[in-house]
Amino acid sequence: MTPKQRHSVRPATIALTLVLLGLLGCTGLLQNLGARWVTRQIAAELNLDEAQAAETRGAVDRLMAAAPAALSARVEMLVATVDAAIAKGLSEKKLLGMERQVDGLLDIVAGAIIDEASPILATLRDDQIDFVEARITERLDEVREQLEEPAEERLEKRQDEFVDAVEDWAGDLSGRQENALRKLLAGLPDEAHARLAADERRLARIAEVFRKHPGPQAIRDALWKEWKNREDWGPGARPPQARRAEGRQALLFVYGLLDAEQRDHASKHLHELHGKLEAFFGDTSA
């Protein structure tokens, strides 16, 4: 129930996140096909040669095989926590607890991806680094073009995405509810320019490290540092704690708008997502 980020670019790890997308999106019956697809996407994003692509396929397979043991229990605990909060009511304290659970899950996933990726990324040649940097720069240029649109148009797009995101969870909204959501978002600061600037700085830092060809451990350390500081958008933006606090208040506001039927819809949607994960975990651990 949070706004969709239309320009969420994570330089240097953008292709590697496809591993996570494959892990969450592929069913067990299509596991091998999914692993091949993820490998091809990463190879295309990084312009990998045949040997590097083979190493990437092994990394993808290991990540998928390790996922059940690493994530299942934590995911089940998070689902139970969220479901109970939907049924009994949200609060600032409960949301803080959920944040810690989500942070723990994401750190496990990011750490596993970075650990597997670093030895492969350490083999990138200068021409491959140039290729990746150019692709990411092109995406950032697209974001910059979007930010040149009139503020009113950008706000309307953000409002549309916010309403769509809430409806994905809660089902159809009334006109009153939709208007309340649009008014809420209109009152929130737009820090897209600060986020773009942060992404540009992040890309420059990562590219500088990669061009020194320092070895897997130095690359791992650099990527992990960027991951842990991903919410720090620099002096032109509010501190991460302020944005998180604002996000919690927005969630509490949205929850307060929903009726019993819509909260039940949100619970069912949560269990549908969980069911897809369980199906994947069950097949990969069999």
Side-chain angles (χ1 to χ4, degrees), residues 208-286:
E208 182 180 5
V209 171
F210 275 41
R211 287 199 169 87
K212 293 177 181 177
H213 302 284
Q217 187 58 49
I219 287 177
R220 186 204 180 281
D221 292 344
L223 291 177
W224 183 249
K225 181 178 180 180
E226 294 295 343
W227 167 254
K228 295 300 288 185
N229 294 328
R230 65 193 182 279
E231 296 182 59
D232 184 355
W233 296 350
R238 294 171 300 161
Q241 296 84 351
R243 290 199 305 276
R244 284 198 172 201
E246 180 181 78
R248 291 192 298 272
Q249 290 305 309
L251 280 173
L252 290 171
F253 179 83
V254 171
Y255 181 82
L257 286 178
L258 303 182
D259 59 31
E261 183 177 350
Q262 290 168 324
R263 293 174 185 178
D264 185 57
H265 188 286
S267 177
K268 290 178 180 177
H269 184 64
L270 174 69
H271 285 284
E272 288 173 0
L273 295 176
H274 186 214
K276 293 179 181 179
L277 279 176
E278 282 188 319
F280 173 81
F281 287 157
D283 286 327
T284 57
S285 61

Coordinates of all heavy atoms in Angstrom, one line a residue, residues 208-286:
E208 N 33.8 4.1 -10.2 CA 35.2 4.4 -9.9 C 35.8 3.2 -9.2 O 37.0 2.8 -9.5 CB 35.2 5.6 -8.9 CG 36.6 6.0 -8.5 CD 36.7 7.2 -7.5 OE1 35.6 7.6 -7.1 OE2 37.8 7.6 -7.2
V209 N 35.1 2.5 -8.3 CA 35.6 1.3 -7.7 C 35.9 0.2 -8.7 O 36.9 -0.4 -8.7 CB 34.6 0.8 -6.6 CG1 35.0 -0.6 -6.1 CG2 34.5 1.8 -5.5
F210 N 34.9 0.0 -9.6 CA 35.0 -1.1 -10.6 C 36.2 -0.9 -11.5 O 36.9 -1.8 -11.9 CB 33.8 -1.2 -11.4 CG 32.7 -2.0 -10.7 CD1 32.5 -2.0 -9.3 CD2 31.9 -2.9 -11.4 CE1 31.5 -2.7 -8.7 CE2 31.0 -3.7 -10.8 CZ 30.7 -3.6 -9.5
R211 N 36.5 0.4 -11.9 CA 37.6 0.6 -12.8 C 39.0 0.4 -12.2 O 40.0 0.4 -12.9 CB 37.4 2.1 -13.4 CG 36.3 2.2 -14.4 CD 36.4 3.4 -15.3 NE 35.5 3.4 -16.3 CZ 34.2 3.8 -16.3 NH1 33.8 4.4 -15.1 NH2 33.4 3.7 -17.3
K212 N 39.0 0.3 -10.9 CA 40.3 0.0 -10.3 C 40.6 -1.5 -10.2 O 41.6 -1.9 -9.8 CB 40.3 0.6 -8.8 CG 40.3 2.1 -8.8 CD 40.2 2.6 -7.3 CE 40.2 4.1 -7.3 NZ 40.0 4.6 -5.9
H213 N 39.5 -2.3 -10.6 CA 39.6 -3.8 -10.6 C 40.3 -4.2 -9.2 O 41.3 -4.9 -9.2 CB 40.5 -4.2 -11.8 CG 39.9 -3.8 -13.1 ND1 38.8 -4.4 -13.6 CD2 40.3 -2.8 -13.9 CE1 38.5 -3.7 -14.8 NE2 39.4 -2.8 -15.0
P214 N 39.6 -3.9 -8.1 CA 40.3 -4.2 -6.8 C 40.1 -5.6 -6.3 O 40.7 -6.0 -5.3 CB 39.5 -3.2 -5.9 CG 38.1 -3.2 -6.5 CD 38.3 -3.3 -8.0
G215 N 39.3 -6.4 -6.9 CA 39.1 -7.8 -6.4 C 37.7 -8.0 -5.8 O 37.1 -7.0 -5.4
P216 N 37.3 -9.2 -5.6 CA 35.9 -9.5 -5.1 C 35.6 -8.9 -3.8 O 34.5 -8.4 -3.6 CB 35.9 -11.0 -5.1 CG 36.9 -11.5 -6.0 CD 38.0 -10.4 -6.0
Q217 N 36.5 -8.9 -2.8 CA 36.2 -8.5 -1.5 C 36.0 -7.0 -1.5 O 35.0 -6.5 -0.8 CB 37.3 -8.8 -0.5 CG 37.0 -8.5 1.0 CD 35.7 -9.2 1.4 OE1 35.5 -10.4 1.3 NE2 34.8 -8.4 2.1
A218 N 36.8 -6.2 -2.2 CA 36.6 -4.8 -2.2 C 35.3 -4.4 -2.9 O 34.6 -3.5 -2.5 CB 37.8 -4.1 -2.9
I219 N 35.0 -5.1 -4.0 CA 33.7 -4.9 -4.7 C 32.5 -5.2 -3.7 O 31.5 -4.5 -3.7 CB 33.6 -5.7 -6.0 CG1 34.6 -5.1 -7.0 CG2 32.2 -5.8 -6.5 CD1 34.7 -5.8 -8.3
R220 N 32.6 -6.4 -3.0 CA 31.6 -6.7 -2.1 C 31.4 -5.6 -1.1 O 30.3 -5.2 -0.8 CB 31.9 -8.0 -1.4 CG 30.7 -8.5 -0.5 CD 31.2 -9.4 0.6 NE 30.0 -9.8 1.4 CZ 29.4 -9.1 2.3 NH1 29.9 -7.9 2.6 NH2 28.4 -9.5 3.0
D221 N 32.5 -5.1 -0.5 CA 32.4 -4.1 0.6 C 31.7 -2.8 0.0 O 30.9 -2.2 0.7 CB 33.8 -3.8 1.1 CG 34.4 -4.9 1.9 OD1 33.6 -5.8 2.3 OD2 35.6 -4.9 2.1
A222 N 32.1 -2.5 -1.2 CA 31.6 -1.2 -1.8 C 30.1 -1.4 -2.1 O 29.3 -0.5 -1.8 CB 32.3 -0.9 -3.1
L223 N 29.6 -2.5 -2.6 CA 28.2 -2.8 -2.9 C 27.4 -2.8 -1.6 O 26.3 -2.3 -1.5 CB 28.0 -4.0 -3.7 CG 28.6 -4.0 -5.1 CD1 28.4 -5.4 -5.8 CD2 27.9 -2.9 -5.9
W224 N 28.0 -3.5 -0.6 CA 27.2 -3.6 0.7 C 27.1 -2.2 1.3 O 26.0 -1.9 1.9 CB 28.0 -4.6 1.6 CG 27.2 -4.8 2.9 CD1 27.6 -4.3 4.1 CD2 26.0 -5.5 3.1 NE1 26.7 -4.7 5.1 CE2 25.7 -5.4 4.5 CE3 25.1 -6.1 2.2 CZ2 24.5 -6.0 5.0 CZ3 24.0 -6.7 2.8 CH2 23.7 -6.6 4.1
K225 N 28.1 -1.4 1.2 CA 28.0 0.0 1.8 C 27.0 0.8 1.1 O 26.2 1.5 1.7 CB 29.4 0.7 1.7 CG 29.4 2.1 2.2 CD 30.8 2.7 2.1 CE 30.8 4.1 2.7 NZ 32.1 4.8 2.6
E226 N 26.9 0.6 -0.3 CA 25.9 1.3 -1.0 C 24.5 0.8 -0.7 O 23.5 1.6 -0.6 CB 26.1 1.2 -2.5 CG 27.4 1.9 -3.1 CD 27.3 3.4 -2.9 OE1 26.2 3.9 -2.8 OE2 28.4 4.0 -3.0
W227 N 24.4 -0.5 -0.5 CA 23.1 -1.1 -0.1 C 22.6 -0.5 1.3 O 21.5 -0.1 1.4 CB 23.2 -2.6 0.0 CG 22.0 -3.2 0.7 CD1 22.0 -3.8 1.9 CD2 20.7 -3.3 0.1 NE1 20.7 -4.2 2.2 CE2 19.9 -4.0 1.1 CE3 20.1 -3.0 -1.1 CZ2 18.5 -4.2 0.9 CZ3 18.7 -3.2 -1.2 CH2 18.0 -3.9 -0.2
K228 N 23.5 -0.5 2.2 CA 23.1 -0.1 3.6 C 22.8 1.4 3.6 O 22.1 1.9 4.5 CB 24.2 -0.4 4.6 CG 24.5 -1.9 4.8 CD 23.2 -2.6 5.3 CE 22.9 -2.3 6.7 NZ 21.7 -3.1 7.2
N229 N 23.4 2.2 2.7 CA 23.2 3.7 2.6 C 22.2 4.0 1.5 O 22.1 5.2 1.1 CB 24.5 4.4 2.4 CG 25.4 4.2 3.6 OD1 25.0 4.1 4.7 ND2 26.7 4.2 3.3
R230 N 21.4 3.1 1.0 CA 20.5 3.3 -0.1 C 19.5 4.3 0.1 O 19.0 5.0 -0.8 CB 19.9 2.0 -0.6 CG 18.9 1.4 0.5 CD 18.5 0.0 0.2 NE 17.6 -0.6 1.1 CZ 17.9 -1.1 2.3 NH1 19.1 -1.1 2.7 NH2 16.9 -1.6 3.1
E231 N 19.1 4.6 1.3 CA 18.0 5.5 1.6 C 18.6 6.9 1.9 O 17.8 7.9 2.1 CB 17.2 5.0 2.8 CG 16.4 3.8 2.6 CD 15.6 3.3 3.8 OE1 14.7 4.1 4.2 OE2 15.8 2.2 4.3
D232 N 19.9 7.1 1.9 CA 20.5 8.4 2.1 C 20.6 9.1 0.8 O 21.4 8.7 0.0 CB 21.9 8.2 2.8 CG 22.5 9.6 3.1 OD1 21.9 10.6 2.8 OD2 23.6 9.6 3.7
W233 N 19.8 10.1 0.6 CA 19.8 10.8 -0.7 C 20.6 12.1 -0.7 O 20.4 12.9 -1.6 CB 18.3 11.0 -1.2 CG 17.6 9.8 -1.4 CD1 18.0 8.5 -1.5 CD2 16.1 9.7 -1.6 NE1 17.0 7.6 -1.7 CE2 15.8 8.3 -1.8 CE3 15.1 10.6 -1.7 CZ2 14.6 7.8 -2.0 CZ3 13.8 10.1 -1.9 CH2 13.5 8.8 -2.0
G234 N 21.4 12.3 0.3 CA 22.2 13.4 0.4 C 21.6 14.7 1.0 O 20.5 14.7 1.5
P235 N 22.4 15.8 0.9 CA 22.0 17.0 1.6 C 20.7 17.6 1.0 O 20.1 18.5 1.7 CB 23.2 17.9 1.4 CG 23.9 17.4 0.2 CD 23.7 15.9 0.2
G236 N 20.4 17.3 -0.2 CA 19.2 17.9 -0.8 C 17.9 17.2 -0.4 O 16.8 17.6 -0.9
A237 N 17.9 16.2 0.5 CA 16.7 15.5 0.8 C 16.7 15.3 2.4 O 17.6 15.5 3.1 CB 16.8 14.1 0.2
R238 N 15.5 14.9 2.8 CA 15.3 14.7 4.3 C 16.1 13.4 4.6 O 16.3 12.6 3.8 CB 13.9 14.6 4.6 CG 13.0 15.8 4.4 CD 11.6 15.5 4.6 NE 11.1 14.6 3.6 CZ 10.0 13.9 3.7 NH1 9.2 14.0 4.8 NH2 9.6 13.0 2.8
P239 N 16.4 13.3 5.9 CA 17.0 12.0 6.4 C 16.1 10.8 6.2 O 14.9 11.0 6.2 CB 17.4 12.3 7.8 CG 16.4 13.4 8.3 CD 16.2 14.2 7.0
P240 N 16.7 9.7 6.0 CA 15.8 8.5 5.8 C 14.8 8.3 6.9 O 13.7 7.8 6.7 CB 16.8 7.3 5.8 CG 18.1 8.0 5.4 CD 18.1 9.3 5.9
Q241 N 15.2 8.6 8.2 CA 14.2 8.4 9.3 C 13.0 9.2 9.1 O 11.9 8.8 9.5 CB 14.9 8.7 10.6 CG 16.1 7.8 11.0 CD 17.4 8.3 10.3 OE1 17.4 9.2 9.5 NE2 18.5 7.7 10.7
A242 N 13.1 10.4 8.6 CA 12.0 11.3 8.4 C 11.0 10.7 7.3 O 9.8 10.7 7.4 CB 12.4 12.7 8.0
R243 N 11.6 10.2 6.2 CA 10.8 9.7 5.1 C 10.1 8.4 5.6 O 9.0 8.1 5.3 CB 11.7 9.4 3.9 CG 12.2 10.6 3.2 CD 12.6 10.3 1.8 NE 13.6 9.2 1.7 CZ 14.9 9.4 1.9 NH1 15.3 10.7 2.1 NH2 15.7 8.4 1.8
R244 N 10.8 7.6 6.4 CA 10.2 6.4 6.9 C 9.0 6.7 7.9 O 7.9 6.1 7.8 CB 11.2 5.5 7.7 CG 12.1 4.7 6.7 CD 12.8 3.6 7.4 NE 13.5 2.8 6.5 CZ 13.9 1.5 6.8 NH1 13.5 1.0 8.0 NH2 14.6 0.8 5.9
A245 N 9.2 7.7 8.7 CA 8.1 8.1 9.6 C 6.9 8.6 8.8 O 5.8 8.3 9.2 CB 8.7 9.2 10.6
E246 N 7.2 9.4 7.8 CA 6.1 9.8 6.9 C 5.4 8.7 6.2 O 4.2 8.7 6.1 CB 6.7 10.8 5.9 CG 5.7 11.3 4.9 CD 6.3 12.2 3.9 OE1 6.9 11.7 2.9 OE2 6.3 13.5 4.0
G247 N 6.2 7.7 5.8 CA 5.5 6.5 5.2 C 4.7 5.7 6.2 O 3.6 5.3 5.8
R248 N 5.1 5.6 7.4 CA 4.2 5.0 8.4 C 2.9 5.7 8.6 O 1.9 5.1 8.7 CB 5.0 4.8 9.7 CG 6.2 3.8 9.7 CD 6.7 3.5 11.1 NE 7.2 4.6 11.7 CZ 8.5 5.1 11.6 NH1 9.4 4.4 10.8 NH2 9.0 6.1 12.3
Q249 N 3.0 7.0 8.7 CA 1.8 7.8 8.9 C 0.9 7.7 7.7 O -0.3 7.6 7.8 CB 2.2 9.3 9.1 CG 2.9 9.6 10.4 CD 2.0 9.1 11.6 OE1 0.9 9.4 11.7 NE2 2.6 8.3 12.5
A250 N 1.5 7.6 6.5 CA 0.6 7.4 5.3 C -0.1 6.0 5.3 O -1.3 5.9 5.0 CB 1.5 7.5 4.0
L251 N 0.6 5.0 5.8 CA 0.0 3.7 5.9 C -1.1 3.7 6.9 O -2.2 3.1 6.7 CB 1.0 2.6 6.3 CG 1.9 2.1 5.2 CD1 3.0 1.2 5.7 CD2 1.1 1.3 4.2
L252 N -0.9 4.4 8.1 CA -2.0 4.5 9.1 C -3.2 5.2 8.5 O -4.3 4.8 8.8 CB -1.4 5.2 10.3 CG -0.4 4.4 11.1 CD1 0.2 5.3 12.2 CD2 -1.0 3.2 11.8
F253 N -2.9 6.2 7.7 CA -4.0 7.0 7.1 C -4.8 6.1 6.2 O -6.0 6.1 6.2 CB -3.5 8.2 6.4 CG -4.5 9.0 5.7 CD1 -5.2 10.0 6.4 CD2 -4.8 8.8 4.3 CE1 -6.2 10.7 5.7 CE2 -5.8 9.6 3.7 CZ -6.5 10.5 4.4
V254 N -4.1 5.3 5.3 CA -4.7 4.5 4.3 C -5.6 3.4 5.1 O -6.7 3.1 4.7 CB -3.7 3.8 3.4 CG1 -4.4 2.7 2.6 CG2 -3.0 4.8 2.5
Y255 N -5.0 2.8 6.1 CA -5.7 1.8 6.9 C -7.0 2.3 7.4 O -8.0 1.6 7.4 CB -4.8 1.2 7.9 CG -5.4 0.1 8.8 CD1 -5.4 -1.2 8.3 CD2 -6.0 0.4 10.0 CE1 -6.0 -2.2 9.1 CE2 -6.6 -0.6 10.8 CZ -6.6 -1.9 10.3 OH -7.2 -2.9 11.0
G256 N -6.9 3.5 7.9 CA -8.1 4.2 8.5 C -9.2 4.4 7.5 O -10.4 4.5 7.9
L257 N -8.8 4.5 6.2 CA -9.9 4.7 5.2 C -10.6 3.4 4.9 O -11.8 3.5 4.4 CB -9.2 5.3 3.9 CG -8.8 6.7 3.9 CD1 -8.1 7.0 2.5 CD2 -9.9 7.7 4.1
L258 N -10.0 2.3 5.1 CA -10.6 1.0 4.6 C -11.7 0.5 5.4 O -11.6 0.6 6.7 CB -9.5 0.0 4.5 CG -8.2 0.3 3.6 CD1 -7.3 -0.8 3.6 CD2 -8.7 0.8 2.2
D259 N -12.7 -0.1 4.8 CA -13.8 -0.7 5.6 C -13.4 -2.2 5.8 O -12.4 -2.6 5.4 CB -15.1 -0.6 4.9 CG -15.1 -1.2 3.5 OD1 -14.4 -2.2 3.2 OD2 -15.9 -0.6 2.6
A260 N -14.3 -2.9 6.5 CA -14.0 -4.3 6.9 C -13.8 -5.1 5.6 O -12.9 -6.0 5.6 CB -15.1 -4.8 7.8
E261 N -14.6 -4.9 4.6 CA -14.5 -5.8 3.4 C -13.2 -5.5 2.7 O -12.6 -6.5 2.2 CB -15.7 -5.4 2.5 CG -15.7 -6.3 1.2 CD -16.9 -6.0 0.3 OE1 -17.8 -5.3 0.8 OE2 -16.9 -6.5 -0.8
Q262 N -12.8 -4.3 2.7 CA -11.5 -4.0 2.0 C -10.3 -4.5 2.8 O -9.3 -5.0 2.2 CB -11.4 -2.5 1.8 CG -12.3 -1.9 0.8 CD -12.4 -0.4 0.8 OE1 -12.3 0.2 1.9 NE2 -12.6 0.2 -0.4
R263 N -10.4 -4.5 4.1 CA -9.3 -5.1 4.9 C -9.3 -6.6 4.7 O -8.2 -7.2 4.7 CB -9.5 -4.7 6.4 CG -9.4 -3.2 6.7 CD -9.7 -2.9 8.1 NE -9.7 -1.4 8.3 CZ -9.9 -0.8 9.5 NH1 -10.3 -1.5 10.5 NH2 -9.9 0.5 9.5
D264 N -10.4 -7.2 4.6 CA -10.4 -8.6 4.3 C -9.8 -8.9 2.9 O -9.1 -9.9 2.8 CB -11.9 -9.1 4.3 CG -12.0 -10.6 4.2 OD1 -11.4 -11.4 5.0 OD2 -12.7 -11.1 3.3
H265 N -10.1 -8.1 2.0 CA -9.5 -8.2 0.6 C -8.0 -8.1 0.7 O -7.2 -8.9 0.1 CB -10.0 -7.1 -0.3 CG -9.6 -7.3 -1.7 ND1 -8.4 -7.0 -2.2 CD2 -10.3 -7.6 -2.8 CE1 -8.3 -7.2 -3.5 NE2 -9.5 -7.6 -3.9
A266 N -7.5 -7.2 1.5 CA -6.0 -7.0 1.7 C -5.4 -8.3 2.3 O -4.3 -8.7 2.0 CB -5.7 -5.8 2.6
S267 N -6.1 -8.9 3.3 CA -5.6 -10.1 3.9 C -5.6 -11.2 2.9 O -4.6 -12.0 2.9 CB -6.6 -10.5 5.1 OG -6.1 -11.7 5.7
K268 N -6.6 -11.4 2.1 CA -6.6 -12.4 1.1 C -5.5 -12.2 0.0 O -4.8 -13.1 -0.4 CB -7.9 -12.4 0.3 CG -9.1 -12.9 1.2 CD -10.4 -12.9 0.5 CE -11.6 -13.4 1.3 NZ -12.9 -13.3 0.6
H269 N -5.2 -10.9 -0.3 CA -4.2 -10.6 -1.3 C -2.8 -11.0 -0.7 O -1.9 -11.6 -1.4 CB -4.2 -9.2 -1.6 CG -3.2 -8.7 -2.7 ND1 -3.2 -9.2 -4.0 CD2 -2.1 -7.9 -2.6 CE1 -2.2 -8.7 -4.6 NE2 -1.5 -7.9 -3.8
L270 N -2.6 -10.7 0.6 CA -1.4 -11.1 1.3 C -1.2 -12.6 1.2 O -0.1 -13.1 0.9 CB -1.5 -10.6 2.8 CG -0.3 -11.0 3.7 CD1 1.0 -10.3 3.3 CD2 -0.7 -10.7 5.1
H271 N -2.2 -13.4 1.5 CA -2.1 -14.8 1.5 C -1.9 -15.4 0.1 O -1.2 -16.4 -0.1 CB -3.3 -15.5 2.2 CG -3.2 -15.3 3.7 ND1 -2.4 -16.1 4.5 CD2 -3.9 -14.5 4.5 CE1 -2.6 -15.7 5.7 NE2 -3.5 -14.7 5.8
E272 N -2.4 -14.7 -0.9 CA -2.2 -15.1 -2.3 C -0.7 -15.0 -2.6 O -0.1 -15.9 -3.2 CB -3.0 -14.3 -3.2 CG -4.5 -14.6 -3.2 CD -5.3 -13.6 -4.1 OE1 -4.7 -12.7 -4.7 OE2 -6.5 -13.8 -4.2
L273 N -0.1 -13.8 -2.2 CA 1.3 -13.6 -2.5 C 2.2 -14.7 -1.7 O 3.1 -15.2 -2.2 CB 1.7 -12.2 -2.0 CG 1.1 -11.1 -2.9 CD1 1.5 -9.8 -2.3 CD2 1.5 -11.2 -4.3
H274 N 1.8 -14.9 -0.4 CA 2.5 -15.9 0.4 C 2.4 -17.3 -0.2 O 3.3 -18.1 -0.2 CB 1.9 -15.9 1.8 CG 2.7 -16.8 2.7 ND1 2.1 -17.4 3.8 CD2 4.0 -17.1 2.8 CE1 3.0 -18.1 4.4 NE2 4.2 -17.9 3.9
G275 N 1.2 -17.6 -0.8 CA 1.0 -18.9 -1.4 C 1.9 -19.1 -2.6 O 2.5 -20.2 -2.8
K276 N 2.2 -18.1 -3.3 CA 3.1 -18.2 -4.5 C 4.5 -18.5 -4.0 O 5.3 -19.3 -4.6 CB 3.0 -16.9 -5.3 CG 1.7 -16.7 -6.0 CD 1.7 -15.4 -6.8 CE 0.4 -15.2 -7.5 NZ 0.4 -13.9 -8.3
L277 N 4.9 -17.8 -2.9 CA 6.2 -18.0 -2.3 C 6.3 -19.4 -1.8 O 7.4 -20.1 -2.0 CB 6.5 -17.0 -1.2 CG 7.0 -15.6 -1.6 CD1 7.1 -14.7 -0.4 CD2 8.3 -15.7 -2.4
E278 N 5.3 -19.9 -1.1 CA 5.3 -21.2 -0.5 C 5.4 -22.3 -1.6 O 6.2 -23.3 -1.5 CB 4.1 -21.5 0.3 CG 4.1 -20.9 1.7 CD 2.9 -21.3 2.5 OE1 1.8 -21.4 2.0 OE2 3.1 -21.6 3.7
A279 N 4.7 -22.1 -2.7 CA 4.8 -23.0 -3.8 C 6.2 -23.1 -4.4 O 6.7 -24.2 -4.7 CB 3.8 -22.6 -4.9
F280 N 6.8 -21.9 -4.5 CA 8.2 -21.9 -5.0 C 9.1 -22.6 -4.1 O 9.9 -23.5 -4.4 CB 8.6 -20.5 -5.2 CG 10.1 -20.4 -5.6 CD1 10.5 -20.6 -6.9 CD2 11.0 -20.0 -4.6 CE1 11.9 -20.5 -7.2 CE2 12.4 -20.0 -4.9 CZ 12.8 -20.2 -6.2
F281 N 9.0 -22.2 -2.8 CA 9.9 -22.8 -1.8 C 9.7 -24.3 -1.7 O 10.7 -25.1 -1.6 CB 9.7 -22.2 -0.4 CG 10.2 -20.8 -0.3 CD1 9.7 -19.9 0.7 CD2 11.2 -20.3 -1.1 CE1 10.1 -18.6 0.8 CE2 11.7 -19.0 -1.0 CZ 11.1 -18.2 0.0
G282 N 8.5 -24.8 -1.7 CA 8.2 -26.2 -1.6 C 8.8 -27.0 -2.8 O 9.4 -28.1 -2.6
D283 N 8.7 -26.4 -4.0 CA 9.3 -27.1 -5.1 C 10.8 -27.1 -5.2 O 11.5 -28.1 -5.6 CB 8.8 -26.6 -6.4 CG 7.3 -26.9 -6.7 OD1 6.9 -28.1 -6.3 OD2 6.5 -26.1 -7.2
T284 N 11.4 -26.0 -4.8 CA 12.9 -25.9 -4.8 C 13.5 -26.7 -3.7 O 14.7 -27.1 -3.8 CB 13.3 -24.4 -4.7 OG1 12.8 -23.9 -3.5 CG2 12.9 -23.7 -5.9
S285 N 12.8 -26.9 -2.6 CA 13.4 -27.7 -1.5 C 13.1 -29.1 -1.6 O 13.6 -29.9 -0.8 CB 12.9 -27.1 -0.2 OG 11.5 -27.3 -0.1
A286 N 12.2 -29.5 -2.5 CA 11.9 -31.0 -2.7 C 13.0 -31.8 -3.2 O 13.8 -31.3 -3.9 CB 10.7 -31.1 -3.6

